[in-house]
Amino acid sequence: AHDRRILCASPQYLAKNGMPEKPQDLYNHDIVASPASLPWRLTGPDGMFLYEGKSRIITNSSELPGAFALAGLGIALRPIWAMIDELRNGRLVRVLPDYESSSHWSISAVYHPDRIVSPTVKAVVAYLKGCFADLDQEMERRLAEIEGRAMAT
């Protein structure tokens, strides 16, 4: 499944530091990201923007940047599905809503290709495919609802 990622920060962080108005403004903000996820490649109405700055934190965790954003420590680039509840309840706010990651992140089931695939593994993979089949559309629907906009058809 495709794994769309958007920029988000806590209302407290934005009240203290202001809302970035364009991608270049990210250089004047605290960024919370694992070094492995940088640079950020963002796509928006003006094309692709490459953020090559540094993170305020150093972690090898993909989860901690979201927790740090919730704690008001900076702006994070997170999967929509991982932050949708916090966006809905107002604990996070979308930053630069016209921009999102242009990197091709995905959710994958990985198993050894040289071995005979058991019926159990086949069943689990089929189940996961079903769970994630409509992920993009569902996350877009929820995001549009939160942002009070009509969904693109």
Side-chain angles (χ1 to χ4, degrees):
H2 184 63
D3 187 17
R4 288 179 53 208
R5 293 173 184 230
I6 60 172
L7 296 163
C8 54
S10 72
Q12 296 81 7
Y13 173 85
L14 296 171
K16 180 180 176 185
N17 298 283
M19 174 71 83
E21 295 181 16
K22 55 189 181 298
Q24 294 80 359
D25 293 343
L26 292 171
Y27 287 103
N28 299 319
H29 282 270
D30 292 324
I31 300 303
V32 288
S34 65
S37 70
L38 293 170
W40 287 346
R41 290 167 184 81
L42 305 172
T43 301
D46 298 324
M48 205 268 288
F49 174 78
L50 186 65
Y51 172 79
E52 297 182 279
K54 296 190 184 225
S55 176
R56 176 180 180 176
I57 60 163
I58 297 175
T59 178
N60 63 358
S61 168
S62 62
E63 299 300 318
L64 280 178
F68 289 138
L70 281 165
L73 298 177
I75 298 172
L77 181 66
R78 303 290 300 140
I80 296 173
W81 60 264
M83 296 287 124
I84 197 76
D85 290 336
E86 285 78 9
L87 290 163
R88 182 182 299 116
N89 67 30
R91 291 183 62 209
L92 286 176
V93 175
R94 189 167 181 185
V95 173
L96 298 170
D98 291 335
Y99 288 83
E100 63 182 57
S101 174
S102 61
S103 298
H104 297 285
W105 298 93
S106 62
I107 300 169
S108 304
V110 180
Y111 52 91
H112 197 287
D114 294 337
R115 298 211 173 118
I116 296 173
V117 180
S118 73
T120 303
V121 170
K122 287 180 183 178
V124 168
V125 169
Y127 172 76
L128 292 173
K129 281 183 180 179
C131 289
F132 292 111
D134 298 323
L135 181 65
D136 269 352
Q137 188 173 7
E138 177 62 17
M139 290 299 105
E140 179 57 29
R141 183 191 67 74
R142 290 184 187 184
L143 201 54
E145 181 181 288
I146 291 165
E147 295 174 348
R149 60 179 168 80
M151 219 175 103
T153 55

